[in-house]
Amino acid sequence: MRKQHRTAQQLPLFTLITLYIIIFLGSAGFFITIPAYVSLFLTDHSLEFAKSMPIEQRRMLFGTVMSAAPFISMFFTPFIARFADKFSRKTVIAICLMIAAIGFALPIYAIIVSSVIILFVGNMINSLGSASQPIAQAILADNSEGKNKATLMSLVAVVMTAAMSFGPALGSKLSASYGAQAPFYACLLIAIVSLALLFIVRLPIQNTVKEENPFSFAKPLKRSQKGLLNCLFIVFICQFSWSLYFQNIAFIFPQKWNISVESEFYQYFMIGIGIVMIFSLLLLPRLILKRFSVSSALRVTTALSAIGMLLLATTPTPTSHVLAMIFTATMVALCFPLYITALSDRASDIDQGWAMALSSAMVGLAWTLTGYLTAMMVNVHLLLPTGIAIIGYLAAMIMVPTQNTTTEKKTPSELDAA
């Protein structure tokens, strides 16, 4: 009997815009609100409850709020994504957006009544709503192949980088102009607009396996191709390595060149990282994939990222450090769509939400760990975090799977029979 394969559909432009807005919200909801939390806990505009605390306790409370949300998201998102794969990604995204809207509305009320508890609860609820981001990525991955998939994943990275690079600046401007509630109002508006757009668009038909237990990961692992766990390790170690250097910058500039983090040089340097990464993601992935396969390109870019980190660790002047940053940020940016595409290609089409959620969990785990470890490493040696980053990218290069993956999409019955 001849097997029938489902061909990946090209998503309409309006659908793509809607999905990228949802992906943007998943990151921007965290980064835009950071200045508001700083204002509420660490400045003269702090909540009345927080004002009664010593500054040390307020810092601990701020750190708890900032770290608890990524941890909750990292833990629950893979299970939420399994429900989306099993039932309906569109329905689960809609529920997540509603949850996110509640999560942004509660802090607005918390500021009015000066309640740290309500503020904390709102942040936790919003972290669950951010599960809409990997599920939206799954729709992109499930309906694209080859170079087109890498291009769509590059745009995912562009959107997430824009949120990381420009979100805090936007949140700071909104807080300064309209008060600490303004960033939450902005994110609430994005959530409502995203929900309205989601109801308008029509998504492609989704293959599902309704008999499975969504709390079990055994079946998705069984359906995946060899190398999926390698790809998850690469996602983690690449994000871990980049985050080590990214957070090490705040120590390198003051101690090595006496450049403060309040200086214009530091501010332009950080903005420059975002600009370099965005332009690299927009212009280079398709060009590279015309000459190399995904695995070959990933092996090359991780190796070049390691070389870039070595250059960053050995640059003698701020100017040479900037030049090394341009090269390294370009290579680091190119790694993202390649390892996400490699991961997606090794998961079945009915498990794309689960795969993207696992990658999101790896990213969250990497950045959560480095927030603490970077400071500990600097106490040993100023450049130890960047040195570990070199080793990390070399390890990623070694772990790149060599097995070729098929781009054909199989039906659920074929996947279970395999």
Side-chain angles (χ1 to χ4, degrees):
M1 182 178 178
R2 187 177 179 180
K3 293 181 178 181
Q4 299 294 322
H5 300 292
R6 185 169 69 86
T7 302
Q9 302 182 40
Q10 185 172 356
L11 296 171
L13 178 60
F14 186 73
T15 301
L16 290 173
I17 292 173
T18 299
L19 293 174
Y20 283 119
I21 292 175
I22 293 170
I23 292 169
F24 175 80
L25 176 65
S27 295
F30 178 79
F31 289 106
I32 290 178
T33 57
I34 286 177
Y37 284 113
V38 171
S39 176
L40 292 171
F41 287 116
L42 304 179
T43 71
D44 294 336
H45 303 289
S46 298
L47 295 171
E48 291 299 325
F49 181 83
K51 285 181 180 179
S52 64
M53 297 180 178
I55 187 62
E56 292 80 9
Q57 290 186 16
R58 284 196 270 167
R59 287 170 180 164
M60 290 181 61
L61 189 60
F62 173 77
T64 300
V65 172
M66 288 293 98
S67 60
F71 179 80
I72 288 178
S73 177
M74 177 181 67
F75 182 81
F76 286 103
T77 295
F79 296 101
I80 297 173
R82 280 284 282 148
F83 275 94
D85 288 341
K86 177 179 170 63
F87 299 108
S88 168
R89 290 176 186 147
K90 183 174 183 178
T91 300
V92 174
I93 288 178
I95 294 172
C96 287
L97 290 174
M98 293 177 190
I99 293 173
I102 295 172
F104 292 126
L106 281 177
I108 296 172
Y109 178 70
I111 295 171
I112 295 174
V113 299
S114 191
S115 171
V116 173
I117 294 177
I118 297 177
L119 188 70
F120 190 86
V121 170
N123 193 44
M124 298 304 100
I125 291 175
N126 174 50
S127 68
L128 294 176
S130 66
S132 60
Q133 183 183 71
I135 300 172
Q137 287 180 236
I139 297 172
L140 295 172
D142 193 25
N143 294 279
S144 57
E145 297 174 350
K147 294 184 181 67
N148 187 39
K149 180 183 288 187
T151 300
L152 293 182
M153 294 303 108
S154 297
L155 293 175
V156 168
V158 167
V159 169
M160 294 171 67
T161 302
M164 179 186 70
S165 301
F166 308 123
L170 175 60
S172 177
K173 179 65 175 178
L174 289 171
S175 295
S177 301
Y178 306 105
Q181 293 173 312
F184 298 103
Y185 273 116
C187 292
L188 175 60
L189 178 62
I190 297 173
I192 293 172
V193 170
S194 299
L195 186 61
L197 293 176
L198 184 65
F199 281 117
I200 296 174
V201 302
R202 177 175 294 180
L203 299 179
I205 297 174
Q206 172 189 342
N207 283 335
T208 59
V209 179
K210 298 187 180 299
E211 296 79 16
E212 285 186 8
N213 178 4
F215 293 101
S216 173
F217 290 170
K219 286 291 184 69
L221 282 173
K222 184 179 179 181
R223 284 191 292 265
S224 65
Q225 297 185 39
K226 184 179 178 180
L228 181 134
L229 294 180
N230 290 46
C231 292
L232 279 175
F233 170 80
I234 293 170
V235 173
F236 171 78
I237 199 64
C238 285
Q239 289 288 327
F240 183 83
S241 300
W242 171 243
S243 182
L244 280 176
Y245 166 72
F246 191 81
Q247 301 193 55
N248 198 23
I249 296 171
F251 298 96
I252 293 174
F253 278 23
Q255 295 185 38
K256 192 173 182 179
W257 295 304
N258 198 30
I259 298 174
S260 72
V261 295
E262 290 83 18
S263 66
E264 288 188 357
F265 185 92
Y266 175 84
Q267 295 168 6
Y268 286 130
F269 184 86
M270 299 302 286
I271 293 173
I273 289 177
I275 293 173
V276 169
M277 297 185 85
I278 288 173
F279 274 94
S280 300
L281 289 162
L282 288 172
L283 301 176
L284 298 180
R286 289 188 73 90
L287 294 176
I288 291 175
L289 291 176
K290 287 182 179 180
R291 292 179 172 270
F292 300 97
S293 66
V294 171
S295 295
S296 298
L298 181 55
R299 195 172 290 109
V300 171
T301 52
T302 48
L304 293 175
S305 296
I307 294 174
M309 287 294 171
L310 179 62
L311 293 174
L312 289 169
T314 56
T315 48
T317 66
T319 301
S320 60
H321 198 83
V322 170
L323 296 176
M325 178 277 290
I326 294 173
F327 172 77
T328 308
T330 299
M331 293 302 107
V332 168
L334 287 175
C335 287
F336 183 90
L338 296 174
Y339 56 63
I340 294 297
T341 300
L343 175 67
S344 173
D345 285 346
R346 283 164 175 80
S348 71
D349 64 325
I350 59 174
D351 298 316
Q352 289 296 312
W354 169 78
M356 295 300 102
L358 287 179
S359 71
S360 179
M362 292 298 100
V363 172
L365 177 61
W367 284 79
T368 300
L369 289 176
T370 52
Y372 173 79
L373 292 176
T374 301
M376 297 300 100
M377 291 181 185
V378 168
N379 288 336
V380 178
H381 192 281
L382 176 62
L383 296 176
L384 181 58
T386 306
I388 297 297
I390 297 171
I391 298 173
Y393 278 109
L394 291 175
M397 177 192 68
I398 296 171
M399 293 296 290
V400 173
T402 56
Q403 180 188 11
N404 292 327
T405 59
T406 178
T407 58
E408 289 181 323
K409 301 286 187 178
K410 295 183 178 181
T411 63
S413 61
E414 291 170 351
L415 289 162
D416 287 335

